[in-house]
Amino acid sequence: MIREKRGDIVDDDTCLVSAARKGDQAAFESMVERHQARMFTLVYRILGDYDDAAEVTQDAFVAAWRALGTFRGDSLFSTWLTRIAVNLSRNRLHQTRTRSSKEAFSMDEPFTGCEDNRCFEPPSHGPSVQEMLEKEEIRERVRGCINGLEPGFREALVLRDVQEYSYAEIGAILGLGAGTVKSRISRARDGIRGCLKRALGDI
Amino acid sequence: MDHAGIREMLSAYLDGEVTPGERSLIEEHLKTCPECGNALRELRRTVEHIRELGEETPPPWLTRRVMARIQEEAAREKGLKRRFLPLRRRLPLQAAALVFLSVTVYMVYRTVSPEMKIAVPPVAEMRDGAARTMPSAPPPREEELSRPVPVAKVPEKQTGAPLSPKGRSPAPAPRPAPAAALPEAPDRDEQTPRIAPPPSPAPIAGQENASPRVYRERRGVDMSREVEDHGKEEKDSSVPAMRTKAAAPALREEMRVLLVVDDARGAYREIGRIAGLCGGEAVRWEVGDRGGVARVRVERGRLGEFLALLGEVGETTKKTPLPSGGSGAVDVTITVETGRRTDG
């Protein structure tokens, strides 16, 4: 599904990219709108910090605009953009490594349903409060487990399980061989599995 | 294949990233291994949990901010482009600026350069009357140089009276030239009487007798003052420092030295340097490529040192003996000649 969706985006990108390369800011704005959620999610999953993710996503788009002239269309625009975003995220992680390690998810900390003084309010219909809390608890644990991974493994996992890139595409984006990509994804997933089992008792 | 090998491949198997051979191997193993089957199930569930996280909602202002930054950059670039004109327009402007600058520098140089020349002490000294005599009248100078020394002693006896105040009383008359025909330089002779009479202290002035005084002045000592006064007459104040210094009323002896060198210009530089080393000063400077006259005022105590150093510049011949005893400064007139060796 998503892959198909990505395919559609690609076709439209070709026209927008060529317009943007000629300096058409409106065309580039359309591209930003189209890719921003995907890029933001990628960056947020890698960095684990909302504000940092917003900043780095902006930087990635601005960097892409500057470098549009060097984009030759060998790869998809989305792949090219992803590479920029991953590199900038990596730089940011490097800068704030100490901070992120301090804020890393703690397995001992029980999920209360409230975060930063914001509590999750259940909708009037749909899943029950209990279900909502459970679901959100699991999501929070998963996010925490992802943040606990080493950056190299985290990037591979996010590109595969969040962005749904093929192993070959991941290899191209990260500049890694097929074997390394395979082993990184495998070990990252194994790490998350162990982490979730410890946190939730059962998956 | 053992459990560990199969487990390592389960992740790729889940993604369909295994070869057909690996796939059949794994599937065969899973049929008989509930542990690996459980591991695959957990792995699949883990991936589902991750995917269930879904897409995050970016801040609503994200696109707006990105576009604002891009517009800002585009505007800045445009501004830069405007600031740096294209080459075809920039080149002629730069060429015109260069021409204008060159002309300005040339004009300024032309205006200022004469002053620069004047500012160089030796050249300034040279401009005094004596410079004119040097090249045109070498024979008389020779004659003069060979004149007996006793003259040098004369001022010592008659000192104070005529000389000391003279510097303060510039000759009033322009330059009528009474032609006290001394062999040397007619120009200078012309001026000497004007400058010489220094009858400032009244009693002494009364005793004055023009001709002996002229003789004394010329022979004895104060040729430099002659130069200075001449300068005053011409209202030339370009070398004030030297003038003022030289104008100090003092009795000086004179000696003459003939210096034969290969390079006259170089010799002048050396003389200047040596004079400086010995605490002396140049009081007269007539230079030319082929020779000339330099007069240097040196303290008697350092005269020996000066002459010794001078001997290193070229071949020196003392035309007059060293002044004997006493104190004060001695004016050493150095006649510089080039190209020919002295005959004695």
Side-chain angles (χ1 to χ4, degrees):
Chain A
M1 271 288 279
I2 294 174
R3 196 164 293 274
E4 279 173 20
K5 222 198 289 177
R6 272 211 292 145
D8 293 343
I9 287 172
V10 168
D11 289 337
D12 285 356
D13 275 347
T14 316
C15 301
L16 289 172
V17 166
S18 64
R21 283 178 70 162
K22 289 173 193 155
D24 186 341
Q25 292 187 7
F28 191 74
E29 189 169 358
S30 301
M31 289 159 72
V32 175
E33 275 169 359
R34 177 169 298 187
H35 292 280
Q36 63 168 340
R38 203 174 141 70
M39 285 304 119
F40 177 75
T41 305
L42 165 79
V43 175
Y44 182 37
R45 293 278 174 266
I46 294 176
L47 296 180
D49 182 272
Y50 192 89
D51 295 333
D52 279 357
E55 223 174 283
V56 170
T57 308
Q58 277 187 68
D59 292 347
F61 280 115
V62 174
W65 167 260
R66 286 184 198 142
L68 261 183
T70 66
F71 174 63
R72 289 169 302 175
D74 294 343
S75 58
L76 301 177
F77 174 76
S78 58
T79 311
W80 183 73
L81 184 62
T82 301
R83 194 179 301 137
I84 294 173
V86 168
N87 283 334
L88 292 178
S89 304
R90 201 177 284 171
N91 293 347
R92 177 60 64 100
L93 264 186
H94 191 71
Q95 289 165 3
T96 58
R97 184 160 282 175
T98 330
R99 199 183 68 186
S100 1
S101 71
K102 276 180 190 164
E103 288 178 2
F105 183 79
S106 163
M107 297 295 179
D108 303 328
E109 189 181 300
F111 182 70
T112 57
C114 295
E115 188 188 2
D116 298 339
N117 299 325
R118 283 184 295 140
C119 293
F120 297 95
E121 284 177 25
S124 51
H125 51 83
S128 70
V129 174
Q130 188 61 31
E131 280 172 344
M132 277 294 293
L133 285 177
E134 273 178 14
K135 223 168 182 184
E136 193 47 48
E137 184 183 354
I138 292 170
R139 287 154 67 93
E140 193 58 36
R141 296 289 179 189
V142 174
R143 277 197 283 265
C145 289
I146 293 173
N147 288 348
L149 289 174
E150 283 291 313
F153 293 94
R154 201 187 311 162
E155 288 167 6
L157 181 91
V158 169
L159 288 173
R160 176 63 208 155
D161 290 335
V162 176
Q163 305 285 292
E164 301 189 15
Y165 279 108
S166 73
Y167 282 37
E169 286 171 320
I170 295 168
I173 290 167
L174 298 180
L176 298 173
T180 313
V181 171
K182 205 179 279 188
S183 100
R184 281 202 185 176
I185 292 170
S186 172
R187 287 179 63 190
R189 281 172 173 169
D190 215 40
I192 302 290
R193 185 176 63 91
C195 174
L196 284 178
K197 273 181 87 171
R198 282 195 300 277
L200 305 171
D202 187 31
I203 301 177
Chain B
M1 193 175 272
D2 60 350
H3 291 288
I6 295 292
R7 292 261 175 105
E8 271 178 25
M9 286 200 293
L10 285 179
S11 166
Y13 170 74
L14 204 65
D15 292 325
E17 296 272 355
V18 288
T19 62
E22 287 170 335
R23 177 192 292 272
S24 55
L25 243 173
I26 293 165
E27 283 173 355
E28 279 301 311
H29 181 86
L30 285 174
K31 280 177 192 164
T32 57
C33 181
E35 268 183 55
C36 288
N38 192 42
L40 181 65
R41 214 169 15 258
E42 283 182 358
L43 204 58
R44 191 173 279 132
R45 193 77 195 100
T46 304
V47 171
E48 275 169 19
H49 279 310
I50 299 168
R51 288 186 180 172
E52 273 167 15
L53 288 177
E55 213 162 55
E56 299 288 339
T57 309
W61 42 258
L62 195 111
T63 305
R64 202 172 58 242
R65 287 207 188 162
V66 168
M67 294 317 293
R69 279 173 65 178
I70 284 169
Q71 278 156 14
E72 198 179 300
E73 264 186 32
R76 205 181 309 140
E77 266 175 34
K78 214 173 169 184
L80 278 177
K81 271 183 193 163
R82 205 175 297 147
R83 204 169 299 161
F84 296 102
L85 291 167
L87 198 67
R88 66 176 189 284
R89 261 196 262 166
R90 196 173 61 205
L91 242 122
L93 279 176
Q94 285 176 339
L98 191 68
V99 168
F100 175 75
L101 196 69
S102 309
V103 169
T104 309
V105 167
Y106 177 71
M107 297 303 281
V108 167
Y109 178 76
R110 276 195 62 177
T111 318
V112 172
S113 62
E115 287 169 27
M116 288 164 76
K117 276 180 193 160
I118 288 165
V120 179
V123 183
E125 289 293 332
M126 186 182 71
R127 293 186 310 115
D128 278 327
R132 285 168 289 183
T133 70
M134 203 287 297
S136 59
R141 194 181 63 234
E142 283 284 322
E143 195 184 320
E144 183 198 38
L145 283 169
S146 57
R147 194 164 290 164
V149 204
V151 213
K153 299 281 181 185
V154 176
E156 265 186 349
K157 294 171 196 163
Q158 310 194 350
T159 26
L163 296 178
S164 54
K166 190 193 68 174
R168 299 280 168 241
S169 58
R175 16 169 113 189
L182 271 166
E184 198 184 321
D187 276 4
R188 222 194 283 173
D189 291 342
E190 200 175 271
Q191 295 153 20
T192 18
R194 298 271 131 239
I195 306 150
S200 82
I204 304 166
Q207 303 164 4
E208 265 178 12
N209 174 339
S211 57
R213 198 177 337 111
V214 169
Y215 181 70
R216 261 199 318 272
E217 290 283 330
R218 269 218 88 272
R219 301 298 339 127
V221 203
D222 227 344
M223 294 296 275
S224 68
R225 251 185 265 173
E226 158 190 326
V227 174
E228 291 144 24
D229 289 354
H230 183 207
K232 267 184 211 161
E233 276 178 29
E234 288 178 349
K235 293 190 173 73
D236 183 350
S237 60
S238 59
V239 203
M242 295 194 83
R243 290 268 157 73
T244 321
K245 259 191 188 176
L251 175 66
R252 288 186 194 88
E253 282 191 305
E254 183 184 83
M255 73 170 290
R256 296 173 184 276
V257 176
L258 177 64
L259 177 69
V260 181
V261 293
D262 293 330
D263 169 22
R265 294 270 174 198
Y268 287 117
R269 276 198 299 277
E270 279 301 297
I271 293 168
R273 190 178 65 80
I274 293 167
L277 280 174
C278 300
E281 58 179 339
V283 293
R284 187 163 189 159
W285 213 260
E286 306 162 15
V287 296
D289 286 332
R290 293 188 165 184
V293 176
R295 181 171 297 174
V296 175
R297 187 164 298 161
V298 187
E299 284 302 311
R300 192 183 299 265
R302 305 192 71 174
L303 189 59
E305 185 189 350
F306 176 76
L307 292 173
L309 287 168
L310 195 63
E312 289 170 17
V313 177
E315 195 176 329
T316 56
T317 310
K318 291 180 188 68
K319 290 289 186 179
T320 58
L322 277 170
S324 57
S327 61
V330 176
D331 281 356
V332 184
T333 305
I334 304 149
T335 306
V336 178
E337 289 181 5
T338 53
R340 73 185 164 82
R341 298 277 145 196
T342 53
D343 34 339

